[in-house]
Amino acid sequence: MASTNQQGDPQSSSFSEDWRQRILIPTILAGVVGGGVGLVSKHRKVHGLANISAAYASNLAIVTGCYCGAREFVRATRKTGTDDLLNSAVAGFGSGAILGRLQGGRYGAYRYSLIFAVAGTAADFAALKLGPKLRNFSESMFDKKTGSLKLPEWFPIQILDEEALAAKKAREEKLYSQRAIGKLSKEES
């Protein structure tokens, strides 16, 4: 997201503006996903459910935090926007090399750097493509007038405005009067 300084020159947004959205939230979500994966892991019986869930959650959060931090470092260094996929590739390569070197030595660094570069760039590409569609979907879910959740027309529970409520009440009264007349005619015969 580009902003302008006082002279009107475009500059990239600073690191501190949206770091929560670009680093903290993905890291927390990755921890939650890692915990969920730990819940269904085949190793939960051997290591214990709490231990394996905590291990998966912390590992995925560390990987995501390193990747997102590296991506923001590359973005700030290159002075580009948040939608540049080269930032993702460089950050994935760098963070994968560092974490792979710690985990598996020299060959681990090669493998992890390639995996992180491909997976991180693919995830950022998918986020760029799906972002507008998800925003449109979320806008279609909420009523702009009231700000409340807008239910689909096929949903059995509907929130009615005054006109629809009056029409419904008139239909119910008509139906009730028809039932009452039908009961009277059955009782007379």
Side-chain angles (χ1 to χ4, degrees):
M1 296 181 59
S3 61
T4 57
N5 58 15
Q6 291 178 348
Q7 290 82 19
D9 300 328
Q11 64 183 17
S12 64
S13 60
S14 69
F15 171 76
S16 62
E17 282 182 18
D18 293 326
W19 71 273
R20 286 184 189 101
Q21 181 181 7
R22 294 189 307 260
I23 296 174
L24 186 64
I25 292 174
T27 303
I28 292 171
L29 288 176
V32 170
V33 168
V37 169
L39 289 175
V40 297
S41 171
K42 67 180 180 179
H43 304 291
R44 70 181 182 268
K45 292 179 183 173
V46 176
H47 298 289
L49 182 64
N51 290 338
I52 201 70
S53 292
Y56 278 42
S58 61
N59 286 337
L60 196 56
I62 288 169
V63 166
T64 304
C66 289
Y67 170 74
C68 290
R71 184 183 61 204
E72 289 306 306
F73 176 74
V74 171
R75 183 190 66 82
T77 304
R78 293 185 62 226
K79 296 181 175 64
T80 59
T82 57
D83 57 348
D84 189 4
L85 292 178
L86 188 58
N87 295 343
S88 301
V90 171
F93 188 78
S95 61
I98 291 169
L99 292 173
R101 179 74 175 162
L102 293 173
Q103 186 72 21
R106 177 181 288 172
Y107 295 111
Y110 296 141
R111 283 190 311 233
Y112 279 61
S113 63
L114 185 61
I115 290 169
F116 279 35
V118 170
T121 306
D124 286 343
F125 178 75
L128 284 174
K129 293 298 181 185
L130 291 177
K133 291 178 179 20
L134 289 176
R135 269 190 292 283
N136 289 341
F137 179 71
S138 66
E139 288 173 2
S140 70
M141 296 266 310
F142 292 100
D143 190 13
K144 292 180 182 175
K145 296 176 189 173
T146 62
S148 64
L149 186 65
K150 184 170 67 171
L151 301 172
E153 292 182 20
W154 54 264
F155 198 71
I157 301 171
Q158 292 291 322
I159 300 172
L160 304 175
D161 59 353
E162 290 83 21
E163 294 175 11
L165 194 58
K168 180 183 175 200
K169 193 169 188 173
R171 281 193 314 265
E172 288 174 350
E173 288 175 359
K174 182 179 175 186
L175 185 62
Y176 180 73
S177 65
Q178 289 175 349
R179 284 184 185 168
I181 293 173
K183 286 182 181 180
L184 288 176
S185 64
K186 287 181 182 178
E187 290 176 359
E188 291 174 359
S189 49

